[in-house]
Amino acid sequence: MMDTGMTPKASDTSTLPPIKPAAESEPLCARIEGFSFFYSNGMQAIKNVDMPILDRKVTAIIGPSGCGKSTLLRSLNRMHDLYPGNRYEGRVILEQDGENLIGPEADPVVVRLRVGMVFQKPNPFPKSIFENVAAGLRVRGIKNRAVIEEAVETALKRAAIWDEVKDKLHGSANDLSGGQQQRLCIARALAPNPEILLLDEPTSALDPIATAKVEDLIQDLAETVTVVIVTHNMQQAARISHRTAFMYLGQLIEFGETSQIFTSPKHPSTESYITGRYG
Amino acid sequence: MSVTTQGSLGNAAVKTDQAAYAAIARAKRRDIIFSVGGLVVMAIAMTLLLTLIGDLVVRGLGRIDYDFLTNFPSRKAERAGILSAWVGSLLVMLVTALLAIPIGVAAGLYLEEYARKGWLANLIEINVANLAGVPSIIYGLLAVGMFVYGMNLGKTVLVAGMTLALLILPIVIVSTREAVRAIPKIIKEGAYGLGADQWQVMWNYILPAARPGILTGAIVGLSRAIGETAPIITIGALTFIAFLPPAPITGEFPFINFDWLNAPFTVLPIQMFNWVSRPQADFHTNAAATGVVLMALTLSLNGVAIWIRYRLRKGSRN
């Protein structure tokens, strides 16, 4: 499919207003309302996004590079607070207790205790496998060895890596393969039982077999934890998610059931992207 | 040049080829000239250094024996030893390390992790960089004015340790900052992403990962401090000490005492300086022997630094 321009001209699709998400019938974990994000240089990376996050389901965010999907994801556990000058607007409300994750009164450290994150590149700490998974418990001040051991085992089992590492828990995490390291990082994020698990292109550095394992894992996880995943890979979003959000130039262009987004997108921009015309 | 210019290429292409080959040949000649020149310069420098070390070793090595290491200085060259000098050097280094490493590491971590980037951080940064270039005798003058007379601490082990600690503080700070800056961002973000607070990230993730760099910097600093003479002379270390400071560890309760901090002292470079300035040839042999000991200490400190860096790097990669 040869199209003349890789990016659409301002005159066609992007001038059409984004489609606001319809009211959700399923239970929610969180609501993103009127959310904008500004980098310290004043650049607005996200523009007025409204989006529901379904409880214990997989929500995928797709879109071309630079559309703001990772920025949105990183906002949900306040990663941008690590670098001075960044600014949030709007609200991200947890349904359970009405806490606004990006509100000025919310402590970023507390937010990160409730919302776990897995990064694009596997980033195990240069410690043993056991200590990697236990890290999230230790920062919470848990010292009881039995509690930690049980949580580590549970997390490794949930991350479907227990059988591969149970005999070398005290070996270095850096000796694992890339795919194992990423599942270890998922186990590390799961160990403290977060309410939401964020995955930022978790398979982009993995080979197809490791990718398939991580995808299976994500689907299993969604039975017990809310998952939000950013992915470059549209097939991946179609395979594993219940809802898909399409972002472009900092806006949420369209949000809906994954099957609807991929088979009958309503917005012409979404259609061009999923048919591979740009991105 | 075995590549043929014949073949399917046109005449014009052949000409460009020849020009290109000529240019490559010129470049190769330049490379050869430069590397030969570099080799010559390096050989001169190394020969000078090796001659110096060789001369020192030839003259001094024979003088080093058990008595030389365990005798106090004496008016008779053959009975003189360096006991008080090497014990003094050791104690001064102990004070220097205990002061410079914690303060320097803390300052480096503060500047990298806690300080808001602004005029204050910039000011501190410029000052640290400038301190590294201040001649060591200036530190000696500062110590005389402030520690010896201002604070009335006397010409003691403590003052010497404090002075040398100031001297190597910039080295420790800079190497700490470099070590911290070299830690991958994804490791830091990973730790923060788990809900660790700033102190936990610094203490449990940044500090362990930065340890090889910090230790290397600290030891390089110490090996510079051990050879420093000017500031120690300036604060007025004695050149003839025929007794040892009180031992830091004693047999009776409370087992540790701090009297040695307030003891007068001498150090290896000063002992060496003292003997060099004597007219008798036998004392010059003593000075050479002291130089060999001092150099062995410095080189082994550097060796330890390299070994630690190698071990810890290997450990953290695998």
Side-chain angles (χ1 to χ4, degrees), chain B residues 71-93:
Chain B
N71 280 356
F72 288 111
S74 159
R75 271 174 297 134
K76 296 196 176 91
E78 68 278 7
R79 281 180 48 198
I82 56 168
L83 180 62
S84 51
W86 72 256
V87 171
S89 274
L90 216 68
L91 292 178
V92 170
M93 280 308 106

Side-chain angles (χ1 to χ4, degrees), chain A residues 12-258:
Chain A
D12 53 339
T13 57
S14 57
T15 49
L16 292 172
I19 302 171
K20 290 281 176 193
E24 271 297 338
S25 50
E26 302 211 32
L28 296 188
C29 172
R31 276 176 290 124
I32 301 172
E33 296 176 342
F35 179 74
S36 295
F37 178 78
F38 302 84
Y39 278 112
S40 53
N41 59 11
M43 187 197 123
Q44 183 171 9
I46 295 176
K47 294 166 189 160
N48 197 22
V49 165
D50 289 298
M51 181 178 142
I53 295 173
L54 267 59
D55 187 37
R56 277 165 290 165
K57 289 282 182 325
V58 178
T59 303
I61 307 176
I62 60 171
S65 300
C67 70
K69 54 190 193 303
S70 279
T71 308
L72 177 61
L73 194 78
R74 288 164 63 89
S75 301
L76 298 180
N77 81 338
R78 303 284 295 265
M79 268 296 146
H80 300 298
D81 290 51
L82 298 180
Y83 309 98
N86 297 330
R87 190 158 57 84
Y88 310 97
E89 260 173 30
R91 302 195 301 170
V92 178
I93 303 290
L94 283 185
E95 283 293 313
Q96 198 191 348
D97 51 13
E99 169 139 347
N100 178 13
L101 293 181
I102 56 162
E105 67 287 344
D107 184 340
V109 172
V110 176
V111 170
R112 294 181 201 127
L113 296 179
R114 303 183 68 174
V115 183
M117 175 129 188
V118 175
F119 297 83
Q120 197 170 344
K121 254 176 82 183
N123 59 344
F125 302 133
K127 299 181 174 194
S128 71
I129 292 167
F130 183 90
E131 280 307 322
N132 261 279
V133 185
L137 303 163
R138 296 210 192 279
V139 300
R140 284 160 175 79
I142 299 170
K143 294 207 169 69
N144 185 322
R145 185 140 188 100
V147 172
I148 292 179
E149 277 176 3
E150 200 193 316
V152 167
E153 183 174 337
T154 310
L156 287 169
K157 280 178 175 161
R158 282 175 81 188
I161 190 178
W162 171 253
D163 290 331
E164 293 157 66
V165 300
K166 64 181 177 203
D167 299 323
K168 47 180 178 182
L169 286 179
H170 298 285
S172 170
N174 287 333
D175 291 342
L176 298 174
S177 72
Q180 288 175 323
Q181 285 184 0
Q182 195 59 299
R183 279 179 289 147
L184 178 69
C185 291
I186 293 175
R188 185 173 74 189
L190 286 172
N193 260 320
E195 293 156 53
I196 304 178
L197 183 64
L198 307 174
L199 302 152
D200 188 359
E201 298 184 32
T203 60
S204 63
L206 304 183
D207 65 64
I209 293 169
T211 299
K213 280 188 183 168
V214 170
E215 285 184 8
D216 287 347
L217 164 62
I218 292 169
Q219 282 180 301
D220 292 343
L221 283 178
E223 288 169 16
T224 50
V225 64
T226 301
V227 176
V228 184
I229 178 171
V230 160
T231 179
H232 248 116
N233 181 334
M234 280 183 280
Q235 285 74 31
Q236 182 170 66
R239 279 193 297 267
I240 65 173
S241 70
H242 303 94
R243 292 287 183 279
T244 296
F246 170 65
M247 288 186 71
Y248 184 59
L249 296 174
Q251 287 182 308
L252 177 62
I253 302 294
E254 189 171 356
F255 178 92
E257 276 185 41
T258 299

